[in-house]
Amino acid sequence: MSDPAAFESRLEKRSDFRKQPVGRSRQGDFIKCVEQKTDALGKQPMSRGFTKDKTLSSIFNIEMVKEKTAEEIKQIWQQYFAAKDTVYAVIPEEKFDLIWNRAQSCPTFLCALPRREGYEFFVGQWTGTELHFTALINIQTRGEAAASQLILYHYPELKEEKGIVLMTAEMDSTFLNVAEAQCIANQVQLFYATDRKETYGLVETFNLRPNEFKYMSVIAELEQSGIGAELKCARNQDKT
């Protein structure tokens, strides 16, 4: 930034914001804080245990599956990951195209994860076909040093020929388990692949009209969808 004084004042505002509890911050400040930090999400060094440049060919032989049908490839993908502790999916071409087109104009979003006491917010940021997530509190406290805690990798290499996009993930298991990562991944489908105008409208509001965004509306949408209900149920049982 060319104006050092402006930069100083922005830094002061950031540190002031970090001192405020999430629920009490003014909505505009909340979004501004998220915006300032999410750009760095996909650019920082990988967190512990994450693979740099995780390509499809590093997972399996693309040439070998070219002769197979979409259904056969789906089965191979599912069998390969079934024994692994991770999140994976086979996304139909039309659904991925919808998600991808929307991600171009709305690359950032907030999702909610049921915790023992209420919910924890996670911020997602698209970087190419990778979708990086980190906890909102991580962004607020660590700023641009906030590392990704979950990355969803989407592989469109077979989309034109086979009509499918393969997806898998890596997570920092000190923060998330597979069920929690799956809950976050399901919310990508919920908010980006929906036909329901009001649901995708939350993504648009977050990106295009941030001052109007209410993060409690994410929880309302999540509860209505039933995603995360099992997690919430398990948390409640833990309490007793």
Side-chain angles (χ1 to χ4, degrees):
M1 187 175 278
S2 53
D3 181 355
F7 183 64
E8 287 287 339
S9 87
R10 206 166 95 178
L11 279 182
E12 278 166 29
K13 277 183 195 156
R14 283 188 188 191
S15 60
D16 285 347
F17 178 80
R18 279 185 215 140
K19 291 171 197 159
Q20 299 175 29
V22 174
R24 290 180 53 201
S25 61
R26 287 201 308 278
Q27 197 61 43
D29 291 348
F30 166 75
I31 302 294
K32 216 172 287 171
C33 170
V34 170
E35 280 175 346
Q36 285 168 353
K37 311 301 193 313
T38 46
D39 286 345
L41 249 188
K43 297 172 192 162
Q44 82 264 337
M46 288 290 185
S47 315
R48 178 184 52 191
F50 284 79
T51 311
K52 193 170 173 12
D53 304 323
K54 190 179 174 73
T55 60
L56 182 58
S57 55
S58 70
I59 300 172
F60 72 8
N61 186 332
I62 303 171
E63 290 308 312
M64 187 189 78
V65 299
K66 284 218 165 138
E67 303 306 311
K68 302 196 177 294
T69 66
E71 190 52 43
E72 286 170 330
I73 296 169
K74 183 177 177 177
Q75 285 174 359
I76 292 168
W77 191 252
Q78 288 171 338
Q79 281 165 6
Y80 178 80
F81 285 106
K84 296 181 174 9
D85 221 15
T86 192
V87 171
Y88 57 93
V90 178
I91 306 168
E93 178 182 7
E94 307 75 42
K95 187 175 274 193
F96 179 79
D97 284 346
L98 179 61
I99 293 170
W100 181 247
N101 289 335
R102 287 172 164 179
Q104 302 317 297
S105 55
C106 297
T108 308
F109 195 54
L110 195 72
C111 61
L113 191 61
R115 293 295 196 194
R116 185 169 287 190
E117 300 298 332
Y119 288 84
E120 182 175 15
F121 288 104
F122 278 75
V123 177
Q125 170 75 21
W126 285 89
T127 304
T129 53
E130 293 178 6
L131 181 48
H132 291 243
F133 285 95
T134 196
L136 176 60
I137 192 76
N138 199 22
I139 290 175
Q140 288 174 321
T141 53
R142 305 200 63 201
E144 288 172 8
S148 301
Q149 294 168 329
L150 169 68
I151 304 174
L152 303 182
Y153 301 96
H154 300 84
Y155 299 110
E157 285 91 328
L158 300 169
K159 182 165 79 83
E160 300 305 320
E161 265 184 69
K162 308 293 181 183
I164 53 174
V165 172
L166 303 173
M167 186 274 276
T168 187
E170 287 184 317
M171 71 205 81
D172 186 334
S173 55
T174 56
F175 295 99
L176 292 166
N177 61 34
V178 175
E180 291 164 344
Q182 185 67 62
C183 179
I184 291 173
N186 289 346
Q187 289 181 63
V188 179
Q189 302 264 340
L190 171 67
F191 289 107
Y192 278 91
T194 182
D195 294 330
R196 194 169 171 267
K197 246 178 156 168
E198 296 84 349
T199 307
Y200 177 62
L202 294 179
V203 183
E204 289 184 306
T205 304
F206 186 85
N207 284 270
L208 309 174
R209 299 181 302 282
N211 287 333
E212 296 171 25
F213 182 79
K214 295 180 174 60
Y215 52 87
M216 293 310 287
S217 55
V218 172
I219 294 174
E221 200 65 43
L222 187 63
E223 290 185 342
Q224 191 179 323
S225 74
I227 291 173
E230 287 169 21
L231 276 178
K232 202 156 180 55
C233 206
R235 300 274 184 268
N236 290 339
Q237 283 169 357
D238 286 347
K239 282 188 203 174
T240 55

